[in-house]
Amino acid sequence: MYERMKQDLEQRLHELETQGLYKIERVLQGAQGPEISVRLSNGKTISALNFCANNYLGLANRPELIAAATKAMQEWGYGLSSVRFICGTQEQHRLLEQELSAFLGTEDTILFSSCFDANGGVFEALLDADSAILTDALNHASIIDGVRLCKARRLIYNHMDMADLEQKLREAADAKYRMIVTDGVFSMDGDIADLKSICDLADQYDALVLVDDSHATGFIGPHGRGTAEHWNIQDRVDLITTTFGKALGGASGGCVSGRRELIQWLRQKARPYLFSNTLAPAIVGATREALRIAAEAQDLRNQLARNTMRFRRAMEAAGFTIRQGHHPIVPIMLGDEKLAVQMAKALLDEGIYVIAFSYPVVPRGLARIRVQLSAVHTDEMVDRCVAAFIKVGKALGALKT
Ligand SMILES: *Cc1c(COP(=O)(O)O)cnc(C)c1O
């Protein structure tokens, strides 16, 4: 049997390559940061400015987090060899859950190994076939998969289209429970969801609201508490899912946070929580430290906002098509898949590491390079990035004239 499958896969892998859709993993030769060394496919190692990490607050290699992880490991050990409810809950797991609730302004929090797992467990545990989920068309893959695992009726509304959401809420009028699900910030576009309108519709049509704040926790909102804080509606969101793998240190881990009974039920029923290992002590200790830093990181959030605007303004002035907004995710829209890949490659030759995104991560014909700013980029780094884009963009004809 395998021979047939092997030939088929070889053929399909080749197709990906010819369509410019084949993803190459670059190998870093050290820790994550604004400046990294990258080994190229020809074996050469180069130094590059990194503009593609989710390292928004620059915590990924912060000495305080490394120290907290080390200390936690010394105190609580390397691993638990258990799920939470058997013998895998330590004092610090409880403390992290309480501290996340305090930071996010929620009643309770449950930890998962990742936000992917959080989204994989939350819907199936809470909703049955008699309920309905209203989900934005551009929601993250983990939400799509989590919704698939759940028997509730699925209604996909057009991206950020409130009229369509309202229409779908009407269609779901007979459901026992309705839940509106949205990314707080959409990872490919940097769009911030219109949570206020979503909560208004939820009130009007009697629905719950779940927000995945993976690209917001720690740096969106006046105190970095996320999209709900950005809209000043923290008490109107029922559930937040988020990751520790982005702004909060960037290692791994995630959670669901929100109304007390919902979280209590998830602790009994969420399958990735019940059947997957407990979060490692080092991660728990470092995430607690990341939260402490994030709670007081007004300077980092201000710097991130300054870097973002500096980059956005300069790129627009240079004639690039970028998606409007304020988020440190800045998509440089190129359209053509091959051009995007070619351009990212040429930028790396200039010492700027960015990634081209194409189908199926984004819709066909909407290929782009996604630039992500960090609080630890300097003005000079941002300017070097813009200069490289202009040079490469001119050479490849990607600039509006
Ligand atoms: C990154 C991301 C996830 C996955 O988080 P992990 O903790 O890495 O599994 C889930 N949802 C959204 C919106 C994300 O951007």
Side-chain angles (χ1 to χ4, degrees):
M1 165 74 93
Y2 182 58
E3 198 46 42
R4 199 151 47 87
M5 192 169 184
K6 177 175 146 82
Q7 278 170 17
D8 184 27
L9 288 175
E10 278 170 350
Q11 164 71 24
R12 285 157 66 189
L13 285 164
H14 181 71
E15 276 169 24
L16 287 182
E17 278 176 38
T18 54
Q19 293 166 344
L21 302 180
Y22 190 88
K23 290 180 274 302
I24 299 165
E25 293 178 5
R26 309 271 179 208
V27 180
L28 307 194
Q29 303 289 351
Q32 185 61 276
E35 212 156 7
I36 50 176
S37 39
V38 194
R39 196 168 73 216
L40 303 179
S41 43
N42 64 11
K44 225 171 70 181
T45 296
I46 62 158
S47 164
L49 297 181
N50 186 5
F51 283 91
C52 54
N54 302 307
N55 188 19
Y56 297 111
L57 296 176
L59 302 189
N61 194 26
R62 274 274 284 238
E64 295 97 314
L65 265 65
I66 297 166
T70 308
K71 185 162 173 286
M73 197 148 54
Q74 280 160 355
E75 197 169 333
W76 299 101
Y78 171 68
L80 269 301
S81 296
S82 172
V83 297
R84 284 287 297 276
F85 83 94
I86 297 181
C87 53
T89 298
Q90 295 173 320
E91 185 70 27
Q92 60 161 1
H93 290 92
R94 283 289 169 77
L95 292 171
L96 174 56
E97 287 172 342
Q98 288 164 15
E99 287 155 8
L100 282 161
S101 306
F103 183 78
L104 297 170
T106 53
E107 291 174 0
D108 200 1
T109 299
I110 175 173
L111 301 177
F112 286 84
S113 294
S114 65
C115 188
F116 206 107
D117 270 357
N119 288 333
V122 65
F123 305 109
E124 192 259 354
L126 293 173
L127 301 172
D128 291 320
D130 52 8
S131 292
I133 297 173
L134 302 102
T135 177
D136 188 292
L138 292 192
N139 276 344
H140 190 261
S142 55
I143 293 178
I144 295 172
D145 287 8
V147 170
R148 275 189 190 142
L149 289 170
C150 170
K151 292 202 172 64
R153 191 162 19 128
R154 177 184 59 182
L155 295 96
I156 301 170
Y157 63 91
N158 297 332
H159 178 50
M160 305 229 305
D161 181 341
M162 293 300 108
D164 194 36
L165 172 56
E166 180 161 16
Q167 171 61 31
K168 298 289 190 303
L169 281 163
R170 285 211 190 93
E171 286 171 28
D174 58 337
K176 181 179 179 192
Y177 300 120
R178 284 160 292 283
M179 184 186 279
I180 305 171
V181 181
T182 183
D183 282 15
V185 173
F186 291 85
S187 57
M188 286 302 130
D189 297 307
D191 296 341
I192 299 181
D194 184 358
L195 262 195
K196 188 168 175 314
S197 300
I198 288 175
C199 286
D200 289 345
L201 285 171
D203 286 348
Q204 197 180 336
Y205 291 91
D206 197 25
L208 297 164
V209 174
L210 181 148
V211 180
D212 178 340
D213 246 355
S214 292
H215 284 283
T217 302
F219 61 100
I220 294 294
H223 304 92
R225 287 149 202 258
T227 316
E229 192 198 21
H230 170 84
W231 290 104
N232 195 21
I233 49 160
Q234 273 176 289
D235 54 339
R236 298 178 66 193
V237 169
D238 299 288
L239 287 170
I240 297 166
T241 64
T242 194
T243 183
F244 317 145
K246 291 184 172 118
L248 297 181
S252 63
C255 68
V256 182
S257 195
R259 313 256 184 229
R260 192 178 318 283
E261 300 74 17
L262 295 176
I263 303 302
Q264 207 177 345
W265 187 254
L266 290 176
R267 245 184 250 290
Q268 301 302 313
K269 297 290 180 184
R271 292 169 69 83
Y273 185 81
L274 295 178
F275 299 110
S276 184
N277 206 34
T278 189
L279 203 58
I283 304 279
V284 176
T287 305
R288 294 183 67 201
E289 181 64 21
L291 266 186
R292 269 193 289 272
I293 294 173
E296 289 166 11
Q298 217 45 57
D299 51 340
L300 294 176
R301 280 187 283 276
N302 291 341
Q303 188 60 48
L304 177 59
R306 275 198 298 275
N307 290 349
T308 299
M309 290 328 286
R310 185 181 186 90
F311 181 77
R312 283 179 173 273
R313 287 208 189 97
M315 289 294 282
E316 260 173 347
F320 284 99
T321 306
I322 67 175
R323 282 188 69 100
Q324 298 299 308
H326 295 92
H327 197 275
I329 291 173
V330 188
I332 318 300
M333 305 306 290
L334 296 164
D336 181 66
E337 260 103 39
K338 276 186 181 159
L339 172 62
V341 172
Q342 223 181 349
M343 192 150 162
K345 216 169 156 202
L347 283 161
L348 190 57
D349 291 335
E350 297 293 320
I352 303 295
Y353 188 24
V354 287
I355 293 285
F357 285 92
S358 48
Y359 181 83
V361 182
V362 296
R364 268 193 210 280
L366 289 180
R368 66 199 67 182
I369 289 177
R370 181 178 72 172
V371 171
Q372 290 171 285
L373 284 301
S374 167
V376 289
H377 286 133
T378 62
D379 284 356
E380 191 260 342
M381 289 174 179
V382 174
D383 295 348
R384 262 168 65 195
C385 180
V386 173
F389 260 100
I390 292 171
K391 179 175 169 190
V392 167
K394 275 186 183 151
L396 296 176
L399 275 166
K400 286 182 286 198
T401 43

